[in-house]
Amino acid sequence: MKMRALWIWITTAAVLMPLWVAAQSVDTIDPALRDRIDRIAAGVMEQRGVPSASVAVVKGGKLVYTHAYGKAHIDPDMPATPDMRYSIGSISKQFTAAAILLLQEQGKLSVDDAVGKYVPGLTRGDEVTIREILSHTSGYQDYWPEDYLMTPMMKPTMAQQIIDTWAKKPLDFEPGTQWQYSNTNYVIAGLIVEKVSGKKLMDFLAEHIFRPLGMKSAWNSDDEKLTSTDATPYIRAALGPLRPAPKEGRGWMFAAGELAMTAHDLALWDESLISRSILSSESYKKMFTEIKLKDGKGTQYGLGVFVGKLDDRLDISHSGEVTGFVSDNEVLVDDGVAVAVLTNHMGNGAEELGRLVASTATGAKLKPAEDQALAIYRDLQKGHIDRGLLAPNLNDYFDAQTVADFQASLAPLGEPLTFRQTTERLRGGMTMRAFQIVYPTRRLNLTTYTYPDGKLEQYLVYPEN
């Protein structure tokens, strides 16, 4: 579903300015799934103290749900809406990587070129490749590993100053031998895009990605802070109250985390990753393939994205953080499912929310062991257990008092959001399995032991540490 937008021109101080008004609410999702997503969002926000979250869900390769929760601004309170932009932080890196791949498709560079071919003066620039900076295997030191805004970063800078300070130091390791996340890599990548294309990075992205996909809310928050009609960023010191976050100085986010947008528009990008509509199939293969180190070890990172698993499914993901905003983007490309989560709080919550919603949206069929364990769990919530499943020791364990305690403590929790097996191994002549049971505000662990004849020797539930 595409966004409908209305452009209105207003005059202020004799200057014509565009006022962007968008209708970004989408709700074509199954009501039961919508309810589960809303429960996840409410639970994670309550548990993590998140003031607001904007969520967009892609299912079947199409955007089916957008919703905003909580307060986008506090005192005076302003409810969050899907039309509001949030900074997406390091999710911006996949757009920079895509720009490099587009230039390679145009025959203007190769990801195996040395970075020194385009940006002179870098440490060992004649050895480090573009592929290595995009995959964080270059050895260039990160200019912002901290999770707070330091005083020097409140003043403006330029990409060249960042490079002169951090990319002309000795490398932290030999190129291609280690993986170490570094924002410096993407400042170099952004300069390469601008030098090769002859355009500003944002202009190149607008021409080749934002406009073709209808991403009309995309905003360069490195050049200009978000408006009063967008989400307000917040920070918290220890367990103290939420306070408005300071803003980074201009120039610090260039190509590594400069973008802001709505969750709706980030989901339009996710649609394109699933359909592979912007890049060539070969470019998507490069982006989604895990980079191997020189010793053959995996990095769990491709080009601008993490490459991992969620419920045994291929998950192309990235989180993002700039001062006062944290985001998460999960794209299960082979399942046609994606979840974009944007929050206005420097704390945990976005990734947890994104992964829980993505796991729920896939509607994964339970394995036989999961089916059995969940059925027993549901029976215990009702005060019953099928004793035909139990070996003698476990049958003795589940006396009347124990069954009553299981019912009294588990019944109020209701139906779990997710019930997944996490571990399976042999022990004591039996199969040991571990499960994670997820509720909006808490998680439980379950362990079982099963004999070869199928009888259960253990079924224990306890809080997750």
Side-chain angles (χ1 to χ4, degrees):
M1 182 172 294
K2 299 297 183 183
M3 173 185 68
R4 302 188 308 275
L6 172 65
W7 289 86
I8 302 173
W9 293 92
I10 60 173
T11 303
T12 304
V15 178
L16 287 175
M17 300 176 62
L19 176 64
W20 178 74
V21 181
Q24 297 206 316
S25 293
V26 178
D27 188 354
T28 58
I29 200 169
D30 175 72
L33 178 56
R34 182 203 309 124
D35 179 66
R36 290 172 70 85
I37 292 169
D38 291 347
R39 286 175 59 211
I40 291 170
V44 171
M45 290 174 65
E46 177 186 349
Q47 189 175 34
R48 302 297 185 183
V50 177
S52 81
S54 188
V55 176
V57 179
V58 174
K59 189 170 174 61
K62 299 297 181 183
L63 179 58
V64 296
Y65 190 51
T66 62
H67 198 77
Y69 309 83
K71 299 174 182 178
H73 185 83
I74 299 170
D75 193 24
D77 291 350
M78 178 190 299
T81 71
D83 300 333
M84 293 177 173
R85 288 173 289 211
Y86 294 66
S87 288
I88 67 170
S90 288
I91 296 174
S92 304
K93 289 179 172 67
Q94 57 200 260
F95 292 92
T96 303
I100 291 283
L101 291 168
L102 283 166
L103 289 170
Q104 179 173 255
E105 290 176 17
Q106 294 169 10
K108 295 179 179 179
L109 56 72
S110 166
V111 295
D112 293 315
D113 287 342
V115 292
K117 181 178 179 180
Y118 307 100
V119 182
L122 303 179
T123 300
R124 297 173 65 176
D126 58 340
E127 301 174 53
V128 177
T129 67
I130 295 175
R131 189 191 302 271
E132 287 169 336
I133 62 171
L134 294 182
S135 61
H136 298 299
T137 58
S138 67
Y140 290 120
Q141 192 172 99
D142 189 4
Y143 70 85
W144 193 12
E146 297 87 352
D147 292 315
Y148 68 97
L149 184 62
M150 299 83 72
T151 302
M153 288 186 65
M154 296 181 187
K155 299 176 182 179
T157 191
M158 297 180 67
Q160 191 61 51
Q161 289 176 295
I162 294 174
I163 286 175
D164 289 344
T165 305
W166 280 275
K168 296 183 179 180
K169 290 182 175 184
L171 298 181
D172 282 355
F173 51 84
E174 287 294 307
T177 64
Q178 294 185 45
W179 186 88
Q180 180 177 278
Y181 194 84
S182 174
N183 290 288
T184 307
N185 288 319
Y186 275 78
V187 174
I188 299 169
L191 286 179
I192 292 173
V193 172
E194 294 195 340
K195 182 164 186 177
V196 173
S197 70
K199 299 176 181 178
K200 291 292 186 183
L201 175 61
M202 283 296 293
D203 292 340
F204 186 89
L205 293 176
E207 178 183 350
H208 294 279
I209 297 176
F210 301 150
R211 284 199 289 271
L213 295 178
M215 298 171 62
K216 294 184 173 69
S217 71
W219 178 276
N220 185 352
S221 63
D222 193 37
D223 270 356
E224 191 173 357
K225 68 184 295 185
L226 289 171
T227 71
S228 59
T229 59
D230 293 312
T232 299
Y234 289 97
I235 56 174
R236 175 183 277 120
L239 304 180
L242 290 169
R243 300 191 186 280
K247 178 76 174 73
E248 306 89 358
R250 182 175 294 179
W252 285 102
M253 296 295 95
F254 169 70
E258 81 279 26
L259 294 178
M261 62 186 67
T262 61
H264 174 285
D265 282 6
L266 183 53
L268 295 182
W269 165 250
D270 293 342
E271 282 186 2
S272 77
L273 295 181
I274 292 168
S275 65
R276 294 165 171 80
S277 63
I278 291 293
L279 307 177
S280 69
S281 58
E282 184 62 27
S283 290
Y284 282 114
K285 182 178 179 180
K286 285 183 169 65
M287 178 181 274
F288 298 163
T289 299
E290 179 188 35
I291 295 294
K292 303 289 187 181
L293 300 177
K294 289 183 177 179
D295 63 3
K297 291 180 181 176
T299 61
Q300 297 186 321
Y301 204 87
L303 302 183
V305 293
F306 284 92
V307 181
K309 294 284 187 178
L310 180 61
D311 299 334
D312 295 325
R313 290 165 157 77
L314 176 63
D315 184 23
I316 303 301
S317 67
H318 216 291
S319 58
E321 178 183 309
V322 296
T323 311
F325 291 104
V326 176
S327 57
D328 184 60
N329 199 40
E330 308 284 337
V331 187
L332 284 73
V333 289
D334 296 334
D335 295 272
V337 169
V339 178
V341 177
L342 311 180
T343 70
N344 60 337
H345 175 229
M346 284 279 285
N348 294 329
E351 185 172 358
E352 181 179 12
L353 204 168
R355 290 178 69 83
L356 281 174
V357 171
S359 181
T360 299
T362 57
K365 186 177 180 180
L366 296 182
K367 302 173 184 176
E370 291 170 329
D371 256 334
Q372 182 192 59
L374 178 57
I376 294 171
Y377 184 87
R378 288 168 172 162
D379 278 349
L380 285 167
Q381 287 181 305
K382 300 172 185 175
H384 307 293
I385 190 164
D386 181 355
R387 296 190 177 274
L389 300 172
L390 312 183
N393 288 331
L394 190 58
N395 188 60
D396 291 344
Y397 170 81
F398 275 113
D399 58 21
Q401 184 62 68
T402 300
V403 172
D405 287 348
F406 266 72
Q407 180 185 18
S409 60
L410 299 181
L413 300 179
E415 182 71 6
L417 293 173
T418 60
F419 193 106
R420 293 284 183 265
Q421 181 178 317
T422 58
T423 304
E424 181 174 319
R425 60 176 178 265
L426 295 177
R427 185 174 179 186
M430 297 173 285
T431 300
M432 177 272 180
R433 294 184 178 93
F435 304 83
Q436 184 183 67
I437 306 166
V438 176
Y439 286 97
T441 59
R442 69 186 307 170
R443 297 182 182 213
L444 306 177
N445 288 330
L446 162 66
T447 57
T448 66
Y449 285 92
T450 307
Y451 285 109
D453 66 1
K455 296 285 188 178
L456 287 165
E457 176 70 6
Q458 177 169 300
Y459 189 99
L460 298 181
V461 176
Y462 47 94
E464 184 174 84
N465 292 333

